[in-house]
Amino acid sequence: MSGSFFNGLSLSGWRGPLALSTVLFSILGIFAFSCGVILLYRLAVLPASVWLTLASLPALLWFLPIRRRLPVPVWSITIGLAFGMVWAGLWAHERLEQRLPAGLEGNKVQVSGYVCDLPVLGSFSSIRFSFCVTRWQVNSLTPEAGRSWPKKLRLAWYGQPDGVLPGHRLKLEVVLKRPHGTLNAAGFRYEDWLFRKGYRATGSVRSALPDLAVFCGLACQYHRIHARLAQWVDEQFADARHHPLIASLLIGNRGHLTSAHWDVLKATGTIHLVAISGLHLGLVALGAGFIARRLMLAVPLYRMSEHSIRLSVFIVVLVCCLFYALAAGFTVPTRRALIMVAVGSWVLLKARQVPAWHSLAVALGLVLLLDPFAPLDQGFWLSFGAVCVLICVFAGRLGGTGWLTGLFLAQGVVFAGLWPILELVGQGQPVAGLLANIFAIPWVSLVVMPALIMSGLLLALFPELSGLVVPVLDVVLGWFWSFLGWVAGMSWPDLDGTPAELTVLALLVVLIVTVPVRGFRVAGSVIVMAWAVAAGLPGEAENPQIVKPEVRVWDVGQGLSALLRAGDKVLLYDTGPEVKGVFSSAESVLLPNLQALGINRIDTLVVSHADSDHSGGLDLLLKEFDVGRIVTGEPEAIRQKLEPGSKVSIQNCAGEEVLAGALFLSFWQAKGDFEGNDASCVLTAWQAGAGVEWIFPGDISASIEPLYLRNSQGRARSNRLRERVVVAPHHGSKTSSSEAWVNGLNPEWVIYTAGYRHRYGHPHKNVTARYRGVGAESLNTACSGGLVMKVADGTLKIRETRLNAPFWISGPGLAREQCKIP
């Protein structure tokens, strides 16, 4: 955009005080509307539709004499805020009313519809895709009153190594379940992602047949054309060495990117380059606008006025951006970027010196009006955050900056400005990203994207040029990827800071750039450098002190992981499940939650046994944390799971010790030549003075349980046992939790760590009946989410994460609210 656009808060383009006040009040109302949409997602309970309707009453008061008693800004804020909450609330209700009846979960059902995204290859020779349902072929069941069938499903079809569906319009036999995922205080939440994307059921495909009887409307036709475009790109660039990057950058098809690609992109902070967003659409807009204006200027002046030229350029820019957005799949980031480009182009069309903040507010309001679920996207906060930082730095600058200086300024302030946002959303800001983006963004902008677009157009017109075009793209992308690989392979310091520290750092960096006082800039730069040096220096890993001991059981699905803390000491029992290259609870659950607690050191890592649902992600934890030792029931098997050269101490499961003088720990393992489940290391934790005991038995079977009971009878407690918490052996399998075990322990609480509607069917109904028979209160992480246990006022307090979950996870009638232990 021209420099006049970023001209402080000048309003010279608006004429007259009345017009000025109207514009200001309108912008205020738009901003209040945006705040209303965002605030709705901070609510734990979604207001009923009738209350949302009543919330719109302030708008009606505007037409009554009472409106004169309050200032216009108050009305702008009140009406905008109310309308925003009502708008978002009604859309949320519409989405949540799409529910799969509980009676259909786990049963085969037939649906007809069309594929509404690009299928991708998944694990275990599967195809994963979105399916928009046009007809449910169910005769015996109907949705509840006021509910409707899910319109969009997330499906996986296993045993399809070719990754080819039998058509675009299909009749499927599927087995479904309602939206569900792991639920903890921090980390990735699958249910958040499903709700945001509109998936109201997930499942697997048992059979698929073409169904030409499905009506193919506008949306269906678009997805069919987009799938054909993706197929054409794959065919034209199949011989390219960097075919995955070409498909991703050209049409947003990231399904070909491998885990190696993602590792490099994450390490260099350049994931945004392979997601079609503001950068790519901005380049298309600049290119289309430049070419269109040059062509228009060639027309004699007496035939076209300046306004007509600007209008023509505006139309060409919008049409080109729209076509590119459609070619890129018209995803959420693409639609958001399209709106922002349209607003910016409109401002330039009107040739007004409009404050940049006004344009940003209008773009924000339009994005939330057209997509009220946008605040659930991390990209929403990052994109608008980046624009805010750039406006703060470049708006109102009296002197221009050269392109090189501007590039370094933009990258520096965006790097610092987005750091606290990334920290709050659970992502890190790799230091390598500062160097990588300074060179990668110009290369992608000025070389890669023009080359890709021109290559695509050339091959569409002259397919025989493939032999010339593909090698050129491989060279261009080869330099780009080699550079990123070189940056990712370098040793970079880990700069860690709290969100508060990073926010202060970001503000200081922005002030250094914007305040034209030499002394302040020097002092500020010294402070920033001193912080960076101090944060990057290696030091002893320390944990925060806690006053009272606590025990946490994470929700890791079908697996187990628990945390015991006392003082500044930490013990982690098991690390949850992992499927290499597919899923790791250590990465998605443990790492973000441990970091959120400020934990840097794991004094003792207990791995009950080597099964993958108890020992996943060990190398990641050893890389990210200072681990004092590993205690396990299978030392040799665990050693083999670690990377060669790992020097962590691995010890047998035996002995007793005290954790920070508050938790007495006992490690026990059955004597004999056992392996697998029966080799599990059993941990017993006893909080002195509180009379509370926790037992973590791993996966021991009914044949081992009597051995533990005999051993535990010989341990005398200094205080009377008040409450006993038992984690059910083997997730509540029928091969464990025998009557002798349950009656012998007689626990007050039993915790099942099982997956929701998992194929193993844990916990077994016979097991749950035994625990109920002795009066034990039952909890299942599949229902409760993560659990936090503390002793307060002499009583054990257990907090379930689901009680603090947002309305789209724990609302009435949803999977967690109706989740029952058999």
Side-chain angles (χ1 to χ4, degrees), residues 555-560 576-577 613-614 730-731 753-756 758 760-762:
D555 178 11
V556 294
Q558 184 72 17
L560 173 62
D613 58 335
H614 293 256
H730 203 183
H731 321 289
T753 56
Y756 179 74
H758 195 270
Y760 291 153
H762 296 159

Side-chain angles (χ1 to χ4, degrees), residues 182 184 186-187 554-556 584-594:
T182 59
N184 298 283
W554 311 117
D555 178 11
V556 294
S584 169
S585 60
E587 180 180 8
S588 62
V589 176
L590 302 189
L591 186 59
N593 280 277
L594 290 171

Side-chain angles (χ1 to χ4, degrees), residues 279-350:
L279 172 65
H280 307 78
L281 278 182
L283 292 173
V284 172
L286 288 174
F290 176 80
I291 295 174
R293 185 164 182 83
R294 289 298 176 187
L295 293 175
M296 294 299 172
L297 290 176
V299 178
L301 291 178
Y302 67 86
R303 294 188 179 181
M304 293 191 71
S305 65
E306 176 62 24
H307 177 74
S308 299
I309 292 176
R310 288 200 304 269
L311 180 60
S312 300
V313 171
F314 171 73
I315 294 173
V316 169
V317 166
L318 280 192
V319 170
C320 290
C321 288
L322 177 61
F323 269 98
Y324 186 67
L326 291 171
F330 214 55
T331 59
V332 170
T334 309
R335 295 197 298 265
R336 182 168 60 240
L338 182 62
I339 292 172
M340 298 178 78
V341 167
V343 171
S345 301
W346 176 259
V347 170
L348 292 179
L349 169 66
K350 304 304 290 185

Side-chain angles (χ1 to χ4, degrees), residues 614-819:
H614 293 256
S615 61
L618 290 177
D619 286 323
L620 175 63
L621 292 175
L622 293 177
K623 176 184 176 182
E624 297 293 334
F625 299 96
D626 181 8
V627 178
R629 61 172 180 164
I630 294 178
V631 176
T632 178
E634 295 187 287
E636 290 302 320
I638 294 301
R639 174 66 70 184
Q640 293 176 8
K641 297 189 70 149
L642 301 181
E643 290 183 354
S646 176
K647 298 180 180 180
V648 64
S649 173
I650 299 180
Q651 302 175 9
N652 290 318
C653 176
E656 295 184 350
E657 61 184 58
V658 181
L659 192 68
L663 288 177
F664 291 85
L665 307 177
S666 173
F667 303 93
W668 178 87
Q669 181 184 19
K671 295 181 180 180
D673 188 18
F674 296 106
E675 61 181 17
N677 292 345
D678 285 343
S680 293
C681 179
V682 181
L683 171 67
T684 305
W686 167 262
Q687 184 170 344
V692 179
E693 182 182 67
W694 290 269
I695 300 176
F696 301 90
D699 280 352
I700 61 173
S701 66
S703 62
I704 303 297
E705 291 170 351
L707 303 178
Y708 172 83
L709 292 175
R710 284 197 293 270
N711 177 78
S712 63
Q713 289 172 358
R715 293 196 305 265
R717 298 298 185 194
S718 58
N719 295 308
R720 182 173 59 87
L721 177 65
R722 297 175 183 173
E723 292 187 82
R724 174 177 281 153
V725 182
V726 174
V727 176
H730 203 183
H731 321 289
S733 166
K734 64 181 179 180
T735 61
S736 302
S737 296
S738 62
E739 289 188 13
W741 168 269
V742 175
N743 294 329
L745 294 178
N746 192 24
E748 281 68 31
W749 295 90
V750 60
I751 298 173
Y752 304 102
T753 56
Y756 179 74
R757 300 192 68 86
H758 195 270
R759 66 181 185 276
Y760 291 153
H762 296 159
H764 195 274
K765 61 181 180 179
N766 292 343
V767 170
T768 59
R770 291 182 196 131
Y771 283 107
R772 289 195 186 100
V774 297
E777 295 286 341
S778 301
L779 294 170
N780 188 352
T781 53
C783 302
S784 302
L787 301 169
V788 182
M789 292 171 275
K790 294 181 181 180
V791 176
D793 301 325
T795 305
L796 179 65
K797 306 292 185 182
I798 301 180
R799 186 173 74 246
E800 303 174 62
T801 303
R802 71 176 179 87
L803 299 179
N804 297 318
F807 61 80
W808 58 89
I809 292 179
S810 60
L814 300 181
R816 286 201 182 262
E817 193 268 340
Q818 293 186 346
C819 181

Side-chain angles (χ1 to χ4, degrees), residues 570-588:
V570 169
L571 181 147
L572 184 65
Y573 185 89
D574 281 347
T575 58
E578 179 185 39
V579 178
K580 292 289 186 181
V582 179
F583 170 78
S584 169
S585 60
E587 180 180 8
S588 62

Side-chain angles (χ1 to χ4, degrees), residues 377-400:
D377 264 342
Q378 293 179 0
F380 168 82
W381 299 99
L382 294 174
S383 60
F384 278 102
V387 174
C388 286
V389 170
L390 292 175
I391 290 177
C392 286
V393 172
F394 291 104
R397 292 181 69 90
L398 297 178

Side-chain angles (χ1 to χ4, degrees), residues 147-429:
R147 311 298 183 194
S148 60
W149 293 103
K151 299 177 182 178
K152 192 175 180 183
L153 310 177
R154 184 63 177 171
L155 300 174
W157 192 9
Y158 294 94
Q160 304 297 318
D162 296 335
V164 178
L165 293 172
H168 178 63
R169 291 176 287 172
L170 300 169
K171 180 179 180 180
L172 305 178
E173 184 178 64
V174 295
V175 175
L176 302 173
K177 62 181 179 180
R178 289 177 289 181
H180 193 281
T182 59
L183 180 60
N184 298 283
F188 174 72
R189 288 182 176 177
Y190 187 48
E191 284 173 90
D192 289 351
W193 184 81
L194 292 173
F195 176 72
R196 196 272 171 270
K197 299 294 184 182
Y199 300 114
R200 301 311 301 147
T202 63
S204 58
V205 178
R206 300 305 166 89
S207 65
L209 295 172
D211 189 354
L212 299 181
V214 172
F215 173 73
C216 198
L218 184 62
C220 173
Q221 292 289 353
Y222 163 69
H223 288 293
R224 181 182 61 82
I225 295 171
H226 185 242
R228 288 188 177 180
L229 175 62
Q231 183 180 0
W232 179 84
V233 170
D234 290 342
E235 292 172 352
Q236 295 297 321
F237 299 98
D239 297 331
R241 190 171 68 255
H242 295 287
H243 166 241
L245 293 176
I246 293 174
S248 179
L249 290 167
L250 190 59
I251 61 169
N253 182 9
R254 300 192 288 179
H256 300 297
L257 295 175
T258 65
S259 57
H261 286 106
W262 289 114
D263 289 342
V264 172
L265 294 170
K266 289 178 182 177
T268 55
T270 51
I271 291 179
H272 63 96
L273 293 179
V274 296
I276 306 300
S277 57
L279 172 65
H280 307 78
L281 278 182
L283 292 173
V284 172
L286 288 174
F290 176 80
I291 295 174
R293 185 164 182 83
R294 289 298 176 187
L295 293 175
M296 294 299 172
L297 290 176
V299 178
L301 291 178
Y302 67 86
R303 294 188 179 181
M304 293 191 71
S305 65
E306 176 62 24
H307 177 74
S308 299
I309 292 176
R310 288 200 304 269
L311 180 60
S312 300
V313 171
F314 171 73
I315 294 173
V316 169
V317 166
L318 280 192
V319 170
C320 290
C321 288
L322 177 61
F323 269 98
Y324 186 67
L326 291 171
F330 214 55
T331 59
V332 170
T334 309
R335 295 197 298 265
R336 182 168 60 240
L338 182 62
I339 292 172
M340 298 178 78
V341 167
V343 171
S345 301
W346 176 259
V347 170
L348 292 179
L349 169 66
K350 304 304 290 185
R352 289 173 171 172
Q353 292 181 336
V354 180
W357 293 108
H358 288 193
S359 301
L360 181 65
V362 172
L364 177 64
L366 284 175
V367 166
L368 294 175
L369 179 67
L370 299 176
D371 182 14
F373 300 101
L376 298 176
D377 264 342
Q378 293 179 0
F380 168 82
W381 299 99
L382 294 174
S383 60
F384 278 102
V387 174
C388 286
V389 170
L390 292 175
I391 290 177
C392 286
V393 172
F394 291 104
R397 292 181 69 90
L398 297 178
T401 58
W403 71 269
L404 185 60
T405 303
L407 173 64
F408 279 92
L409 279 178
Q411 289 304 312
V413 296
V414 168
F415 179 85
L418 294 186
W419 202 342
I421 300 177
L422 287 166
E423 193 70 22
L424 288 173
V425 299
Q427 295 185 20
Q429 176 73 297

